[in-house]
Amino acid sequence: MPQLGLLPKRAWAAIFRQLLRPPRCACPQAVRCHSQAAESVLTSQLKSHQETPNFVIKTPKGTRDFSPEQMVVREKILDVVVSCFKRHGAKGLDTPAFELKEMLSENYGENSGLIYDLKDQGGELLSLRYDLTMSIDTNVWVFIQMSWTDVRHEMVAKRGLTPEVADRIGDYVQCRGGASLVEQMFQDPRLSQNQQALEGLRDLKLLFEYLTLFGIAEKVSFDLSLARGLDYYTGVIYEAVLPKTPAQAQGESLNVGSVAAGGRYDGLVAMFDPKGHKVPCVGLSIGVERIFYIVEQRMKTVGESVRVTETQVFVATPQKNFLRERLKLIAELWDAGIKAEMQYKNNPKLLSQLHYCEHTGIPLVVIIGEQELKDGIVKLRSVASREEVHVKRKDIVIEIQKRLSES
């Protein structure tokens, strides 16, 4: 049955009259039933049409849309991350966006309030998985990103520690350095009497030996103020921050905090293994959104533009009725693995096609018209220099591939 609004008002009026007209040779009761049924249907349709809600187009809280320009930057960041993992022998996997809530709630400790729960799905309580729930913004603290005076006040006034104990902790919390700091800690009489502290220092000493072999020891700082709020860490924890650029050193710093964080958790896998096998694990959560924000702001500062497509060749024509020839030509380019596009109009103007290429940064244009078709050639135009050369129609793919390999 058609919905209201799809026909003119006059047509609907005629339909109403026809529906409400009593059928010939019908009893009065049948007439009343017929009229009541028609009125009920029409009233229902009118009510449904009038009660259509006005939707507000907005993204849910905590989410955002990405424009084509932003997607280029975002994908580049992800490509760098993925290629780095693959370079070191990593394997890819993917898991559902949600998992059983009981699997998450056992390991979040004081941060369990940050879990995003879903409604009951088939009798199971579910929550968003770890990386979609716990962002770097919420699970990294550095006692310094606040002052030691404030930390000490909280320890004494809110946590119930004595001032002497707080000061003793402060002696360590404010320490940071490299391999030499680890050696210094070995000589500390308090730590040397604590077996657990000695085990941790031995691990850190071994870590700095490996960092030295990799040639990156100077990029790592041993910072005793770092703390992480998840319960399953069993060893070293870490976070990554970006070094300041010269511009940032002059007061243009982007205060986004850490851009990656993680740690070691040897006991987590055993919780889900029937035999309780202990599996050494190290995890890292990369703050893609924070890195994206930094890159985006730096690009705005230097006025860098982003090309939103990877099109290498544009197929154009100066004459009318050449759509089929353009389609045949672009199909050949696609089959050869060349990224190409065209305007899907019957008769686009050549000037508008060339302007489009200049605006989007497409490097090459293939032009085919009546004379080119007659001579068995095409024009190959460099968008940057506006130089045009004639190329045999059968050789155009090879010529384009040659130029692209040289650029």
Side-chain angles (χ1 to χ4, degrees):
M1 181 177 294
Q3 295 183 353
L4 293 177
L6 299 180
L7 295 175
K9 291 182 179 179
R10 290 183 179 178
W12 277 114
I15 293 175
F16 292 167
R17 288 194 296 270
Q18 183 66 29
L19 289 172
L20 295 175
R21 180 180 299 168
R24 296 180 180 179
C25 302
C27 67
Q29 184 177 0
V31 172
R32 286 196 300 271
C33 290
H34 177 82
S35 299
Q36 291 173 356
E39 182 179 0
S40 176
V41 171
L42 295 173
T43 302
S44 176
Q45 286 201 352
L46 284 170
K47 184 177 181 181
S48 175
H49 179 72
Q50 293 170 353
E51 292 181 355
T52 301
N54 294 321
F55 291 103
V56 178
I57 300 177
K58 63 183 293 292
T59 57
K61 291 182 179 179
T63 65
R64 62 179 298 186
D65 291 328
F66 292 93
S67 67
E69 291 81 5
Q70 291 173 324
M71 281 302 299
V72 172
V73 178
R74 184 177 174 84
E75 289 178 355
K76 183 177 180 180
I77 293 171
L78 293 174
D79 287 343
V80 171
V81 173
V82 172
S83 63
C84 181
F85 272 87
K86 289 183 176 179
R87 187 165 66 247
H88 294 83
K91 303 177 181 65
L93 60 85
D94 196 7
T95 59
F98 48 85
E99 52 189 282
L100 295 176
K101 181 178 179 180
E102 62 189 63
M103 296 177 63
L104 292 174
S105 57
E106 292 291 328
N107 304 297
Y108 279 81
E110 62 185 20
N111 293 320
S112 59
L114 299 173
I115 296 177
Y116 287 79
D117 291 331
L118 305 175
K119 288 186 177 180
D120 185 301
Q121 302 291 324
E124 295 181 325
L125 296 179
L126 306 175
S127 302
L128 289 181
R129 73 185 188 205
Y130 170 82
D131 57 310
L132 300 176
T133 301
M134 292 289 285
S135 65
I136 290 183
D137 300 81
T138 57
N139 70 352
V140 177
W141 291 272
V142 180
F143 280 138
I144 57 175
Q145 281 152 331
M146 57 191 299
S147 67
W148 166 247
T149 302
D150 294 333
V151 176
R152 183 183 184 279
H153 175 74
E154 181 174 342
M155 287 181 170
V156 176
K158 298 182 180 180
R159 305 296 180 180
L161 298 181
T162 64
E164 294 76 17
V165 171
D167 290 337
R168 197 178 306 166
I169 295 174
D171 293 339
Y172 296 105
V173 167
Q174 300 178 82
C175 292
R176 60 191 59 86
S180 60
L181 178 59
V182 179
E183 294 295 339
Q184 179 182 334
M185 291 292 178
F186 273 111
Q187 309 304 321
D188 188 299
R190 295 172 181 167
L191 297 180
S192 61
Q193 298 176 12
N194 187 304
Q195 186 60 34
Q196 191 173 15
L198 286 176
E199 290 179 4
L201 289 173
R202 293 191 191 102
D203 289 343
L204 286 169
K205 181 179 179 180
L206 181 62
L207 173 61
F208 271 97
E209 289 178 4
Y210 292 157
L211 293 174
T212 301
L213 293 174
F214 287 135
I216 57 173
E218 73 282 357
K219 299 182 182 295
V220 179
S221 173
F222 175 31
D223 192 335
L224 275 75
S225 69
L226 185 63
R228 290 181 61 73
L230 301 183
D231 291 349
Y232 54 70
Y233 287 118
T234 58
V236 65
I237 58 173
Y238 42 80
E239 69 173 26
V241 295
L242 294 178
K244 289 187 177 181
T245 63
Q248 291 173 326
Q250 298 176 5
E252 299 181 9
S253 175
L254 297 174
N255 296 319
V256 298
S258 58
V259 295
R264 181 155 187 161
Y265 45 97
D266 289 352
L268 187 61
V269 175
M271 295 174 54
F272 306 103
D273 182 47
K275 297 183 179 179
H277 290 153
K278 188 176 181 180
V279 179
C281 297
V282 175
L284 174 70
S285 178
I286 299 177
V288 175
E289 302 305 328
R290 290 190 174 191
I291 297 174
F292 170 79
Y293 175 76
I294 293 172
V295 174
E296 188 178 38
Q297 294 304 311
R298 288 182 178 177
M299 292 178 63
K300 289 180 180 179
T301 301
V302 300
E304 182 180 350
S305 60
V306 177
R307 189 179 168 206
V308 298
T309 71
E310 297 183 8
T311 304
Q312 299 166 311
V313 180
F314 188 91
V315 178
T317 183
Q319 270 102 30
K320 296 181 178 180
N321 303 320
F322 263 75
L323 176 61
R324 288 173 175 78
E325 292 299 326
R326 286 186 290 146
L327 289 174
K328 287 194 295 184
L329 180 53
I330 201 171
E332 290 182 29
L333 300 181
W334 287 337
D335 290 342
I338 297 172
K339 300 172 183 176
E341 65 173 290
M342 55 176 273
Q343 285 190 2
Y344 294 95
K345 296 181 178 179
N346 282 327
N347 303 309
K349 295 182 179 180
L350 180 61
L351 189 59
S352 67
Q353 297 173 81
L354 297 180
H355 282 170
Y356 175 79
C357 296
E358 293 178 352
H359 177 71
T360 56
I362 300 175
L364 297 174
V365 181
V366 175
I367 302 175
I368 183 169
E370 293 179 358
Q371 191 61 45
E372 288 81 13
L373 185 62
K374 181 179 179 181
D375 297 339
I377 62 171
V378 293
K379 288 181 182 177
L380 184 58
R381 177 186 176 98
S382 171
V383 176
S385 66
R386 300 187 177 181
E387 177 188 2
E388 293 182 354
V389 296
H390 289 170
V391 180
K392 291 183 179 180
R393 175 70 175 78
K394 63 183 181 63
D395 297 332
I396 187 60
V397 170
I398 297 176
E399 180 63 25
I400 290 175
Q401 290 174 333
K402 178 183 176 183
R403 291 205 180 196
L404 293 176
S405 64
E406 295 174 351
S407 60

